[in-house]
Amino acid sequence: MSDHLMNTYNRQPVTFTKGEGVWLWDIAGEKYLDALAGVAVNGLGHAHPKLVNAIAKQAAKLIHVSNIYQIAEQSALADKLCEISGMDKVFFCNSGCEANEAAIKIARLYGHNKGVEMPEIIVMEQSFHGRTLATLSATGNRKVQAGFEPLVSGFIRVPYDDVEAVKQVALHHPNIVAILVEPVQGEGGINIPKDAGGYLEALRQICDTHGWLLMLDEVQTGIARTGTWFSFQHTPIKPDVMTLAKGLGSGVPIGACVASGKAAEVFTYGKHGSTFGGNPLATAAGLATLNIIEEEGLRENAEKIGNLIREGFNAEFKTTQGVVVVRNAGLMIGIELDRPCGDLVRMALDAKLLINVTADNVVRLLPPLVMSEAEATELVQRLAALIKTFLTK
Ligand SMILES: *Cc1c(COP(=O)(O)O)cnc(C)c1O
């Protein structure tokens, strides 16, 4: 590996050269089962022929123009995202943190427009919203923030899955204008609210009562990951703002800030922008991704395979000391152990299995949405054996 790369990642000693579906091959020709999908990005698996074709066709026609001009692919993707979300308007950018930056700017401008000069946004403990200054300030993880002070102000932190805590801060903070929350916390450890739908419904109600914006960070939960297009669709509510990225372009960088109602009218000419955001290549990839998910029934598959994997692990771990709980929302799967398990990532790699560990003691799986039953069964068997070995060491 080059000495000229900044040391921002503790990289595993492997280089991949090609992929197909849930499988990857390294430079030595060894084959790996990919249960991480580039951290929830490669929902269609690797080298999906319809996606490859859509990207190649678009690249041959037009990769980039500028948002100074009308972009047909961008318009088509905005229409599609609004059709499947029931929301009204989209701003395109290139990543999750940028989508959240847009959401934070919308919240602040929304506040200023109604006379709140120092608007504040409620955020959660253990949350993750990105690595830019505003989004790391919103993130509930000191490791992400340390050394980058002064942080961006205007965030009020409360415990996750605690409606009472939100009601309490509402009493003492007249400048609150929005709540920013992940429907399921990904980096935080696959944290699913006890009553996931009830939590979002309660937050919606509080926002309505106070005239705040409900802003859902669906960067990881969105694009069919939890079995519906967006995680909020497991409930009857709709957010004012939703942010997307990860799975949206199947690996071609793209992010989106989607808004509805009054929040959709906050940005006016000159208030925000992006050079690359929504370019023809990225939005063609996004459009192909959504169409393929629809054509191939991948929302249903995510729900089915996710539950199959959870049940499989539960059966495997029935008598295993050290496994606290297995939880999932579709194909967001967490196996919580009673001890730090970062070493499992390298053990799994040596066993030709790609997994992730987050929040110190949670094995996190984010498999491609295209995973079959047979592949899921193989994943459960191979990984359960590895975890059992790890726990008896
Ligand atoms: C990954 C992630 C982000 C940041 O996305 P980037 O594309 O890395 O900037 C933000 N929010 C959530 C919930 C994420 O999982």
Side-chain angles (χ1 to χ4, degrees), residues 16-84:
F16 298 110
T17 54
K18 64 167 187 171
E20 195 184 315
V22 302
W23 304 98
L24 279 168
W25 284 264
D26 70 10
I27 41 180
E30 295 280 356
K31 185 181 176 188
Y32 298 74
L33 179 53
D34 182 6
L36 192 58
V39 194
V41 168
N42 305 109
L44 306 179
H46 301 280
H48 192 295
K50 287 186 206 162
L51 176 77
V52 171
N53 187 44
I55 292 172
K57 263 173 67 182
Q58 185 59 48
K61 279 197 298 192
L62 195 61
I63 293 175
H64 178 86
V65 276
S66 161
N67 285 309
I68 291 171
Y69 310 106
Q70 298 178 14
I71 299 171
E73 297 76 19
Q74 184 183 121
S75 292
L77 182 57
D79 289 350
K80 182 77 184 172
L81 282 171
C82 289
E83 178 201 318
I84 63 178

Side-chain angles (χ1 to χ4, degrees), residues 45-344:
H46 301 280
H48 192 295
K50 287 186 206 162
L51 176 77
V52 171
N53 187 44
I55 292 172
K57 263 173 67 182
Q58 185 59 48
K61 279 197 298 192
L62 195 61
I63 293 175
H64 178 86
V65 276
S66 161
N67 285 309
I68 291 171
Y69 310 106
Q70 298 178 14
I71 299 171
E73 297 76 19
Q74 184 183 121
S75 292
L77 182 57
D79 289 350
K80 182 77 184 172
L81 282 171
C82 289
E83 178 201 318
I84 63 178
S85 65
M87 297 176 73
D88 298 324
K89 291 197 178 179
V90 187
F91 174 84
F92 286 107
C93 50
N94 314 287
S95 64
C97 60
E98 277 179 78
N100 286 329
E101 286 277 344
I104 292 163
K105 283 181 69 174
I106 286 174
R108 285 194 170 188
L109 194 51
Y110 169 76
H112 282 274
N113 287 347
K114 61 173 188 174
V116 181
E117 279 177 26
M118 298 288 278
E120 295 177 305
I121 300 170
I122 295 182
V123 292
M124 305 300 157
E125 291 174 4
Q126 287 102 44
S127 62
F128 183 80
H129 299 297
R131 299 284 195 157
T132 60
L133 273 176
T135 58
L136 75 81
S137 301
T139 289
N141 180 344
R142 271 306 295 164
K143 275 193 217 157
V144 173
Q145 299 174 336
F148 300 109
E149 297 82 2
L151 300 182
V152 172
S153 60
F155 296 106
I156 301 174
R157 199 168 306 285
V158 299
Y160 189 59
D161 193 17
D162 187 342
V163 174
E164 269 316 303
V166 175
K167 288 183 178 166
Q168 279 304 315
V169 299
L171 297 176
H172 309 292
H173 293 82
N175 292 336
I176 294 168
V177 295
I179 299 176
L180 175 63
V181 60
E182 295 156 271
V184 173
Q185 289 184 329
E187 307 300 308
I190 313 291
N191 301 324
I192 306 171
K194 288 179 293 294
D195 170 8
Y199 180 53
L200 289 189
E201 284 183 58
L203 294 181
R204 175 73 272 173
Q205 197 161 31
I206 294 171
C207 285
D208 290 343
T209 302
H210 293 90
W212 303 345
L213 302 180
L214 178 61
M215 309 202 296
L216 299 183
D217 181 342
E218 294 240 22
V219 168
Q220 194 161 145
T221 53
I223 318 297
R225 178 67 31 200
T226 74
T228 47
W229 281 121
F230 312 107
S231 194
F232 77 82
Q233 291 171 328
H234 296 288
T235 80
I237 68 120
K238 206 166 70 178
D240 300 294
V241 177
M242 165 175 73
T243 55
L244 301 171
K246 294 209 163 86
L248 179 55
S250 297
V252 178
I254 182 170
C257 178
V258 189
S260 61
K262 54 191 186 300
E265 308 302 327
V266 170
F267 275 160
T268 52
Y269 171 66
K271 291 295 183 193
H272 202 37
S274 167
T275 295
F276 294 125
N279 84 13
L281 185 73
T283 45
L287 203 54
T289 299
L290 298 181
N291 287 334
I292 295 165
I293 288 172
E294 209 154 49
E295 286 160 22
E296 302 191 353
L298 297 183
R299 284 168 290 167
E300 299 78 0
N301 197 60
E303 166 147 28
K304 183 181 82 176
I305 299 296
N307 291 337
L308 195 92
I309 290 174
R310 186 197 63 240
E311 287 157 16
F313 280 123
N314 277 332
E316 286 281 348
F317 294 140
K318 227 182 267 165
T319 59
T320 308
Q321 297 287 316
V323 175
V324 178
V325 68
V326 183
R327 51 182 177 253
N328 82 303
L331 281 172
M332 284 179 90
I333 302 148
I335 306 166
E336 184 179 333
L337 305 186
D338 67 356
R339 66 201 75 173
C341 58
D343 291 349
L344 260 170

